[in-house]
Amino acid sequence: MTSTTEPILEVSGLVKHYPLTRGILFKKQVGTVKAVDGVDFTLGRGETLGIVGESGCGKSTLAKMLCNLEKPTAGSIRFKGEDITRLSGKALKAVRRNIQMVFQDPYTSLNPRMTVGDIIGEPYEIHPEAAPKGDRRRRVQELLDVVGLNPEYVNRYPHQFSGGQRQRIGIARGLALRPEVIVADEPVSALDVSVQAQVINLLDRLQAEFELSYLVIAHDLSIVRHISDRVGVMYLGRIVEIGRDAEIYDHPTHPYTQALLSAVPVPDPDAREHRERIILTGDVPSPTNIPSGCRFRTRCWKAQERCAREVPALAVPSRFRSTAGPAAHDSACHFAEEKQVVPAEEHGNGPG
Ligand SMILES: Nc1ncnc2c1ncn2[C@@H]1O[C@H](COP(=O)(O)OP(=O)(O)OP(=O)(O)O)[C@@H](O)[C@H]1O
Ligand SMILES: [Mg+2]
């Protein structure tokens, strides 16, 4: 689906810092985990924004803040223009209904002692105003049908389903309150490759059917490609590059995105010929000890003295500002440039 111009979510300067403590009896703060460290983006109505990044870069923390499961340390989240981080009581509850989360692991996120009907209908216990009591069972069965499961399964337990079916149950629960926004945190990572596409296709169909806006999180750039209108790449708590699907995949300008993409297989042999394989060295720094200036510089082959001093802004790099081409999208690099990268599987040498 393509986006309209109207934003449904506007995220600005979003931060989540956790205190890092030592000791059990006398907790002493010895540092700060900067899980999310200044994130900005907008999500258009009807749009799908994919967020990708390595383990620990803050994706789930971001998702939880959007769904009001974690309070931000700083920054704002606007839903249809209203800052939801400042709401409480009834107003907060009303907004919560509208932004629902689908979790990563269908094996651990569904209570094994509850029937499928109770799991999908649980949101109605929290929001009784959403459906009259006598109507709930019928609604749950309709939701099962909507996600492609037999409505007669309503009294079964999670262990009686496959991984893909369980994720459908999780999606049905996410839809129960008829939200406008779905935040899906790695919705297919725990599933077999053969089942991943089915769940992605289901999400795609539901989006059209229920006019949903999606934020879909993944480790892997190839998973979000199929459904995203735009993609944001996260590194150590920040978005380092964001743009339309084709801009990010075919014209990445941030070295980190280029490195991630060089690990994604590309079927087109013509495109392959012009690509270069990039292997990142070193580990991701700890979120308790983020490098000064550009946080990617410790692993970047282009890093210069300026990168240690100046935090690069997430903006269209000046050298692309006058062009309307696909490289002219937001990238947080002092030395942003277009680069074609070679896919990993096409080369014999593994990661170095
Ligand atoms: N409640 C918490 N207290 C302290 N640190 C936390 C807490 N939750 C997350 N973190 C830390 O914040 C960082 C970001 O975690 P988060 O779960 O958001 O990453 P992620 O991108 O979702 O990773 P993954 O791909 O493994 O799911 C990690 O270093 C994590 O250890
Ligand atoms: Mg996560």
Side-chain angles (χ1 to χ4, degrees):
M1 237 195 205
T2 47
S3 78
T4 56
T5 47
E6 186 191 358
I8 192 154
L9 277 184
E10 295 161 275
V11 171
S12 174
L14 200 61
V15 170
K16 182 71 192 181
H17 289 177
Y18 295 105
L20 181 69
T21 56
R22 287 266 155 74
I24 299 161
L25 200 53
F26 302 102
K27 274 205 174 122
K28 191 175 157 226
Q29 186 171 346
V30 292
T32 304
V33 183
K34 297 180 175 176
V36 171
D37 202 28
V39 162
D40 303 270
F41 65 84
T42 62
L43 176 68
R45 190 186 286 275
E47 182 185 44
T48 299
L49 175 64
I51 297 283
V52 293
E54 288 166 286
S55 186
C57 73
K59 304 180 298 294
S60 295
T61 306
L62 171 65
K64 285 181 207 154
M65 286 193 282
L66 298 176
C67 297
N68 255 299
L69 303 172
E70 287 276 11
K71 267 250 165 284
T73 308
S76 67
I77 303 166
R78 288 179 185 280
F79 173 72
K80 295 184 184 173
E82 185 174 33
D83 186 353
I84 62 173
T85 61
R86 289 165 204 280
L87 297 179
S88 58
K90 270 194 173 151
L92 176 62
K93 216 174 160 190
V95 167
R96 269 200 175 143
R97 265 183 71 170
N98 272 309
I99 310 173
Q100 292 287 313
M101 185 142 163
V102 170
F103 293 91
Q104 168 171 7
D105 188 352
Y107 293 91
T108 58
S109 62
L110 305 182
N111 186 335
R113 281 180 287 277
M114 280 168 77
T115 65
V116 162
D118 288 340
I119 289 169
I120 297 174
E122 199 177 21
Y124 300 135
E125 305 292 327
I126 303 157
H127 298 269
E129 76 286 358
K133 244 194 157 91
D135 209 20
R136 290 181 196 165
R137 193 180 166 84
R138 197 186 52 76
R139 285 192 187 215
V140 165
Q141 290 188 310
E142 191 183 326
L143 283 162
L144 279 168
D145 187 47
V146 156
V147 299
L149 293 172
N150 188 336
E152 286 169 18
Y153 292 169
V154 66
N155 292 320
R156 293 194 182 183
Y157 290 87
H159 74 265
Q160 295 175 285
F161 294 89
S162 69
Q165 287 175 322
R166 285 192 220 204
Q167 194 53 293
R168 287 173 194 264
I169 294 164
I171 291 167
R173 179 175 58 186
L175 290 175
L177 298 169
R178 289 299 315 270
E180 294 181 61
V181 177
I182 294 267
V183 177
D185 187 6
E186 307 212 33
V188 299
S189 303
L191 304 177
D192 288 347
V193 175
S194 59
V195 181
Q196 289 184 344
Q198 295 168 14
V199 173
I200 291 288
N201 288 342
L202 172 68
L203 288 171
D204 211 16
R205 176 168 68 72
L206 294 172
Q207 179 170 50
E209 206 166 320
F210 298 106
E211 297 172 335
L212 295 161
S213 309
Y214 281 159
L215 190 108
V216 179
I217 290 168
H219 266 92
D220 189 335
L221 275 158
S222 59
I223 284 175
V224 292
R225 167 135 227 196
H226 300 292
I227 50 168
S228 298
D229 301 301
R230 281 188 308 138
V231 175
V233 178
M234 256 181 109
Y235 185 79
L236 267 186
R238 277 207 190 215
I239 293 178
V240 296
E241 181 162 11
I242 187 166
R244 300 200 65 80
D245 176 270
E247 293 169 345
I248 298 299
Y249 287 92
D250 301 331
H251 304 271
T253 65
H254 195 286
Y256 180 58
T257 313
Q258 292 166 353
L260 281 185
L261 277 167
S262 82
V264 174
V266 169
D268 178 2
D270 287 341
R272 229 183 278 151
E273 257 173 31
H274 299 102
R275 288 180 172 231
E276 180 192 324
R277 175 83 200 279
I278 299 159
I279 295 159
L280 285 181
T281 54
D283 293 328
V284 186
S286 160
T288 58
N289 190 16
I290 290 176
S292 66
C294 172
R295 57 195 61 211
F296 182 61
R297 71 178 162 82
T298 54
R299 298 170 80 198
C300 186
W301 63 95
K302 283 190 198 169
Q304 295 181 24
E305 193 255 334
R306 179 184 175 193
C307 304
R309 264 188 296 116
E310 258 179 71
V311 178
L314 182 62
V316 179
S318 53
R319 59 182 68 68
F320 301 127
R321 228 163 265 166
S322 57
T323 70
H329 58 265
D330 291 353
S331 182
C333 176
H334 295 308
F335 302 102
E337 62 174 350
E338 283 188 86
K339 192 182 197 77
Q340 293 279 295
V341 287
V342 85
E345 285 188 2
E346 310 304 328
H347 273 218
N349 51 336

